[in-house]
Structures are given as C-alpha cells and as structure tokens.
Amino acid sequence: MSPTSNFPLLSLGDTSPVLLATKGQLARIGLNVGDTESPVFDQAFDYAVRAFQQERGIICDGALGPETFAQIELARFRLGDRVLRYDPVRPLRGDDVAELQSILSALGMYTRPIDYVFAQVTDAAVREAQSGIGLRADGIAGPVTLEGLRAVHRGTNDGNVFALQERARVNASGPSLVGRIFVIEAATAQSDFATTLYPEDLAELANQHSSDIGRRLEGRLAALGAATVLVTAQQKSDDLADELGASAVITINLDASSSPTANGAATYYFGREDERSVVSPVGRALAELVQKEICARTDLLDGRVHARTWESLRRLRTPKVHVLPGYITNCADRAALAESAIRDRIAEAIAASLQRLYLREDSDPPTGTLDLSAFQARR
C-alpha cells in the first residue's frame, strides 16, 4: 500500500483538500461524513472515520494515516463496479475482490484467506467457477460471470452443486433460444415407463401421437433458432444430452392406466416431494411452465406437476422433464389427442414454456398468451 504513505496524517481540526475526496469515498459506502464540500476535519467526519476504523478492525483513533487510507482505498469498489481479471504486474485490490473471493469460498472454489487481491489463486477459482456454470473459462469476472455466480450464491440453500449450476446457467444467459440445443425424446414409453402397460391395440396409436407432438415441437423450436435433436426409443442414447451440452431434454409420451377413468395431462421432473433440497431447479421450473401452458391452451384435465427420482430423470446433468399430455386409455383424452389441432397446441405450449424459461420476469407474459412469432429467429 505504498501510495498511501504519501498522504499526510490528518485528524480532528485539520484542513486539507485531500479530505474532499476522502469524505466522498466514505459517504459512498454509507457513512455520515457531514459536509462533503468542506475540506475541514470536523466532528462529524471524526465520528465517520472512527466508525470506519472500527468496522475494518484497525486502530480506532480517529486519525487518517497510512493504514486507514489503505483501507479506504480498498473500499472504493463494490462488486460489479469494474471488470475483475488477473494482472500479474499490478494485481487488482479492493472490497470487490474480497466479495468475489467470499462467494467463491462459499462455493468451495477459493480456499485461501480473503486477502482483497486478485492474484493467481483467485484467477484459478474464477476459471473453475465459470467452467462449472457453463461459461467460457477466461478468468474475467464481468457482468455475465458475476450474475451467474450471484445466482449460485443466492441459491446455496437449494442443495447440491448440480442444482446450483443449473440455476446459474439460466440466470447468466439471455432470453433468446438461438443457438441452444434441445433434445426431444418422443414415444419412449417402452424404455422410460417399462411398468406402464399399454393395451396392444392402443400402443401404436400412443406412439404415433407422441411422435407427432415431438415433430411439431421440433419445428417450432427450429423457427426460434434453436438446434433440436428428435429421438425415439430405438435411437435413444442415455448420455446424448450431456454430450451435446443441451439446455434441456423434453420427453413426450402418453400415459396409460387399467382404469378407463384416469385422465388428464401431467408433467414430471427430478426431485423428491419430501425433500426440497433434492431437486433439479430448472427441471422443476420448466415442468411447472409446461403444465400451466398445456392446461391453458387445451381442455385437458390438470394432472399437476410431480417430483420423481426415476432413473430416467436423474441420470443426466441436463435438466429433463417428462410430459404426459393425456391417457391413451381414456376415451375423452384419446378423442382430444386424435385432433391435430390439439397436438399442435400441446407442441406450442411446450415451446412457449421453453421460451418463458429464459425470459426476465418483467417481460414474461401471462400463461397461455405468449406469441412465439415475436421470437422467431431472423434468417
């Protein structure tokens, strides 16, 4: 902190032009410094200096000396005021660096003492964090990285790192679907719901309807600029979405029951009903959106959203939802799904849900009203 050693030692009753800048800096961090336009070290400013010294854990004597000036210099920046990166010649120092180190420490990525200095260890921790939340690992703590880290840090009470990374990816990305990858699995009931018994005369019809909804969804997402991979049970690869770095997996099947009265649409995500910390937060958010959109755009009964720890949901790092828009064994559902317009609305509902997942709250329209044409990618 050698630059501060050139400052004079100032205390109550002194007058110096240096006090104008110093008062401004202390006022900016919320201290009552009295008259910020006066170069006089008055009683109000003495109280402010003592409060600052006490807060920073240094000698509380009311005097402005090298140590206090050094701490005031560190307090100049709040996290986000400037872009932070490693400079081996003149490493950045400040409270913003300390706050960044604190966030990284809470996530287990920075294990050294909080020292206010953006050195190699902090650079390595930033790169590790960026990689973990799906961002380019360049070591630059700019707006996108900070938003992602803040989202992770705010969500630490949601449990595992997998969940934190999911939330951060959504918060750190923009609203556009252009360039995103979505995996659509259609008619995969024989592998995902092996214990669900489909009547032989209806199994093929269920597959046809599921596949048709999947194709319609594929077309809508393509129009929004997203890349899609549509797979069936025969083509399915357990790790495909993770390998592709997909944003989400949407599985579409029809349900079946031994009771002909069972009906309605339902959506499933990875989680436990009895333990909120075991969850895919993006999967949960997407499932809730899908369920609301389907029920708003069709007359299908609301079978609600459900958390499940099924292997088909938990084996991926990529957020995944199972969408079951009706029972093939129910006469009313079967008749509704036989209409191409209904299958079209279901596909529209899922596409709208994926778009809404990435919209800011202030620009997210009410359920059932999102017009996807406004988001279509310009070719």
Side-chain angles (χ1 to χ4, degrees), residues 16 28-29 39 47 63 80 86 98 111 124-125 128 147 151 169 172 194 205 208 218-219 242 244 256 285 366:
S16 171
R28 185 171 180 268
I29 62 175
Y47 290 147
Y86 176 49
T111 58
E128 181 184 353
E147 178 58 30
R169 287 191 186 102
L205 182 61
Q208 289 175 5
E218 181 184 31
D242 286 347
L244 294 175

Side-chain angles (χ1 to χ4, degrees), residues 79-145:
L79 190 59
D81 287 351
R82 56 180 176 170
V83 173
L84 298 174
R85 65 188 305 168
Y86 176 49
D87 182 343
V89 178
R90 297 187 65 181
L92 296 176
R93 303 168 183 267
D95 279 15
D96 53 348
V97 177
E99 186 178 349
L100 175 63
Q101 291 174 334
S102 179
I103 292 173
L104 293 169
S105 177
L107 298 174
M109 296 172 182
Y110 179 82
T111 58
R112 301 289 183 86
I114 306 299
D115 62 5
Y116 299 81
V117 183
F118 199 114
Q120 283 181 298
V121 176
T122 305
D123 176 71
V126 170
R127 291 175 188 270
E128 181 184 353
Q130 288 172 323
S131 178
I133 60 178
L135 300 176
R136 180 184 176 189
D138 57 11
I140 301 173
V144 173
T145 294

